[in-house]
Amino acid sequence: VVTRNGKIKLVAGEHRINAVKLLGWEEIPCRVYPEMERNQAEAMEISENLIRNDGTVLEQSLGLH
C-alpha cells in the first residue's frame, strides 16, 4: 500500500517489499492511494501490523489508541 502526497510513500507492506527484493523482482502490484492524511496512513499501518502479528493484548491495545 502506497500513497502519493507529492512523493510516493510506503504505508504498509515493508516485509513483502523486502521479500520480493530478495527474489530479484523489480515490479510488484500494489494499492495506490492518491492522497492520504497522516492519521489515515498511521491507522492503515497499525491495522496491517495487527492482522499479520498476533502480539499481546497490551501491544494491540497500545497500537489502537
Side-chain angles (χ1 to χ4, degrees):
V1 177
V2 297
T3 185
R4 280 189 186 184
N5 290 346
K7 61 181 181 177
I8 296 174
K9 180 182 186 295
L10 180 66
V11 175
E14 184 176 359
H15 288 109
R16 285 167 276 186
I17 293 276
N18 292 334
V20 298
K21 284 180 181 179
L22 288 173
L23 292 171
W25 296 8
E26 295 184 14
E27 294 183 14
I28 59 170
C30 68
R31 286 186 223 134
V32 178
Y33 293 87
E35 294 184 22
M36 186 179 290
E37 299 291 326
R38 183 182 177 127
N39 61 343
Q40 291 174 308
E42 290 173 354
M44 184 172 285
E45 184 178 354
I46 290 168
S47 173
E48 282 281 321
N49 285 335
L50 290 176
I51 289 169
R52 302 202 188 297
N53 178 7
D54 291 334
T56 67
V57 173
L58 177 60
E59 290 169 335
Q60 289 179 9
S61 64
L62 290 173
L64 292 174
H65 298 319

